[in-house]
């Protein structure tokens, strides 16, 4: 067991707080629960939506198709499921989503298929390094959130997640970032009724879940590749059963339009058709840098059209140190109509200047919003 007494002073001047982080080992046990029968309608709807999106994808503008690296990852990791679906085995989708943290469903969203197996098998220095980084992430989180409860980090048991056992709570590795960012977004949007938040990307829905918990009346919209749309739709539908989750359609007359319903998860090319009465915040976390420049230009053009009051993104500050593709944010096309409020090095040890994926935080404000 790792035990460490951490004393962190909050940056808000509220004084010091002590928090003991008891990591009781790695949480690798499966939830062990079969897929419930009440999930069948959602699985069928997601399957039909997925097929529709994949049929449409080759016809959309090339800027919205997956970049070569992403296309290779998705083709390799999703091929077993796609083969079954193409063969008429629609029932294969349910078990796949039920355990997406432990199969190819997580590929490209948080890591890759082998992440879970590697996590279970790590020994020696590699294991110690990972646990030390987890504690470093905690220290950063506690410094920013001196009075937050660890209970807010307890991961919903959707997708059979894995991570660390913190006093009986399952805490996944990105949880500290997701929670702190969501709280920062909550404070940024304080006083705004039914704020509309647009996330370009979104992964499996981890940040979205925290945003919805911190801002109960949020109207959240996610844009992503079709594979990610169905994973995120599954996760948010099951993790937030009291919220209305719509997916795959920018104008579902019988369900409500994006910005009007609780949660909308849409294929990335839908940004061209979005018509929002207002957008309060747009977010991107570590995927702008993995797009090609042409794709970035299209997204930035659409953001300028949608005119969110705020744009927050954390992305590469300098090129990646692992020799993989990535555009540094200093090389991005201009975001017209916006001015920078602040730019700083990522506060997270996983993404600071010493990491292989060095990032910076960026907050921009629409120029017309200044008084």
């Amino acid at each position: 067991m790792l035990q460490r007494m951490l004393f962190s002073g909050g940056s808000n001047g509220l004084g010091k707080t002590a928090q003991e982080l008891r990591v009781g080992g790695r949480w690798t046990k499966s939830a062990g629960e079969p897929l419930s029968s009440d999930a069948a309608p959602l699985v069928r709807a997601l399957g039909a939506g997925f097929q529709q999106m994949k049929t449409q994808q080759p016809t959309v503008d090339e800027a919205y198709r997956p970049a070569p690296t992403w296309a290779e990852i998705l083709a390799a990791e999703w091929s077993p499921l796609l083969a079954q679906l193409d063969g008429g085995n629609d029932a294969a989708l349910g078990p796949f989503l039920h355990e997406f943290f432990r199969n190819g469903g997580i590929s490209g969203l948080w890591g890759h298929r082998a992440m879970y197996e590697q996590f279970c098998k790590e020994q020696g220095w590699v294991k110690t390094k990972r646990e030390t980084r987890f504690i470093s992430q905690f220290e950063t989180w506690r410094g920013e959130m001196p009075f937050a409860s660890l209970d807010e980090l307890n991961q919903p048991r959707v997708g059979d997640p894995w991570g660390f056992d913190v006093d009986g709570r399952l805490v996944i590795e990105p949880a500290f970032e997701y929670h702190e960012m969501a709280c920062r977004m909550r404070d940024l949007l304080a006083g705004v009724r039914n704020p509309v938040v647009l996330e370009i990307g979104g992964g499996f829905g981890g940040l979205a879940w925290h945003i919805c918990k911190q801002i109960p009346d949020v109207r959240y919209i996610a844009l992503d590749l079709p594979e990610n749309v169905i994973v995120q739709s599954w996760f948010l539908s099951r993790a937030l059963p009291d919220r209305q989750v719509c997916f795959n359609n920018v104008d579902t007359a019988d369900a409500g339009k994006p910005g009007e319903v609780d949660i909308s998860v849409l294929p990335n090319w839908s940004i061209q058709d979005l018509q929002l009465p207002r957008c309060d915040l747009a977010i991107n976390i570590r995927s702008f840098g993995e797009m090609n420049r042409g794709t970035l230009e299209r997204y930035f053009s659409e953001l300028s059209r949608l005119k969110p009051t705020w744009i927050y993104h954390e992305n590469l500050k300098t090129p990646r140190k692992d020799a993989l593709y990535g555009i540094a944010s200093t090389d991005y096309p201009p975001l017209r109509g916006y001015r920078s409020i602040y730019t700083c090095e990522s506060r997270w040890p996983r993404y600071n200047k010493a990491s292989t994926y060095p990032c910076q935080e960026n907050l921009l404000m629409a120029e017309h919003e200044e008084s």
Side-chain angles (χ1 to χ4, degrees):
M1 172 182 287
L2 295 175
Q3 269 196 24
R4 189 166 178 177
M5 184 68 76
L6 304 173
F7 295 88
S8 302
S11 58
N12 55 10
L14 294 176
K16 292 187 175 181
T17 186
Q19 175 68 49
E20 184 176 24
L21 179 70
R22 296 186 180 90
V23 180
R26 300 191 172 205
W27 190 303
T28 58
K29 61 186 178 183
S30 173
E33 298 178 359
L35 183 63
S36 59
S37 58
D38 68 344
L42 176 60
V43 172
R44 285 194 297 271
L46 289 171
F50 182 57
Q51 297 285 11
Q52 181 183 353
M53 287 185 287
K54 293 302 288 182
T55 299
Q56 187 178 3
Q57 189 177 39
T59 70
V60 304
D61 190 292
E62 188 174 355
Y64 297 110
R65 300 178 205 169
T69 300
W70 275 89
E72 292 172 7
I73 291 172
L74 292 172
E77 300 291 354
W78 281 66
S79 57
L81 173 66
L82 294 178
Q84 293 189 67
L85 294 178
D86 290 343
N89 183 13
D90 296 336
L93 182 59
F96 180 84
L97 293 172
H98 190 52
E99 299 179 345
F100 74 82
F101 275 105
R102 304 181 185 223
N103 58 39
I106 201 64
S107 299
L109 306 181
W110 176 22
H112 48 82
R113 175 192 295 270
M115 278 184 63
Y116 171 62
E117 294 178 3
Q118 291 176 357
F119 185 78
C120 294
K121 294 178 181 178
E122 284 176 349
Q123 297 293 329
W125 176 82
V126 174
K127 181 179 181 182
T128 300
K129 180 181 178 181
R130 191 165 199 155
E131 292 170 348
T132 300
R133 186 178 65 185
F134 182 79
I135 291 176
S136 296
Q137 291 281 110
F138 168 81
E139 289 177 321
T140 299
W141 174 78
R142 181 51 78 196
E144 299 290 336
M145 309 294 300
F147 303 115
S149 170
L150 282 166
D151 291 339
E152 296 180 38
L153 305 178
N154 197 13
Q155 182 70 15
R157 306 305 195 263
V158 178
D160 214 357
W162 48 270
F164 288 92
D165 182 343
V166 180
D167 272 350
R169 308 172 187 88
L170 169 53
V171 179
I172 63 173
E173 291 174 294
F176 301 117
E177 306 155 36
Y178 293 159
H179 179 266
E180 187 277 334
M181 287 179 184
C183 292
R184 203 151 17 111
M185 301 306 103
R186 175 200 63 200
D187 295 344
L188 185 67
L189 298 174
V192 179
R193 184 178 179 184
N194 299 128
V196 177
V197 175
L198 170 66
E199 185 174 7
I200 297 176
F204 70 87
L207 176 58
W209 180 75
H210 281 281
I211 288 174
C212 290
K213 298 293 283 187
Q214 294 299 324
I215 313 175
D217 64 339
V218 71
R219 302 294 182 256
Y220 170 84
I221 306 165
L223 298 164
D224 218 320
L225 298 171
E227 290 82 357
N228 302 358
V229 167
I230 64 165
V231 171
Q232 186 171 170
S233 298
W234 170 261
F235 175 78
L236 294 175
S237 295
R238 305 296 283 179
L240 297 168
D242 59 328
R243 308 293 175 93
Q244 182 184 11
V245 180
C246 298
F247 54 90
N248 187 37
N249 198 329
V250 75
D251 187 10
T252 305
D254 59 343
K257 296 181 179 181
E260 298 176 357
V261 297
D262 297 333
I263 299 169
S264 302
V265 189
L266 309 169
N268 57 330
W269 57 83
S270 297
I271 193 171
Q272 305 169 100
D273 301 315
L274 274 181
Q275 300 293 332
L276 301 175
R278 77 169 200 271
C279 183
D280 300 293
L281 170 66
I283 308 171
N284 178 266
I285 306 300
R286 306 183 200 105
S287 68
F288 277 163
E290 297 176 4
M291 302 175 186
N292 60 50
R293 187 174 178 87
T295 299
L296 269 179
E297 289 173 349
R298 292 296 296 273
Y299 276 123
F300 282 17
S301 174
E302 294 297 338
L303 284 173
S304 294
R305 175 182 65 83
L306 291 168
K307 278 282 186 286
T309 304
W310 302 97
I311 297 176
Y312 175 81
H313 70 95
E314 178 169 321
N315 282 287
L316 285 168
K317 179 180 182 180
T318 57
R320 296 174 65 157
K321 299 177 183 178
D322 54 10
L324 296 176
Y325 173 82
I327 302 177
S329 53
T330 51
D331 295 329
Y332 286 1
L335 256 169
R336 303 188 187 283
Y338 285 85
R339 73 176 185 91
S340 175
I341 301 300
Y342 79 83
T343 297
C344 65
E345 179 185 358
S346 174
R347 66 196 70 194
W348 302 105
R350 294 176 66 189
Y351 301 105
N352 63 20
K353 62 185 178 182
S355 72
T356 59
Y357 201 100
C359 290
Q360 69 178 15
E361 303 174 12
N362 305 271
L363 180 66
L364 300 94
M365 181 181 180
E367 291 177 338
H368 69 275
E369 294 294 333
E370 292 185 271
S371 57

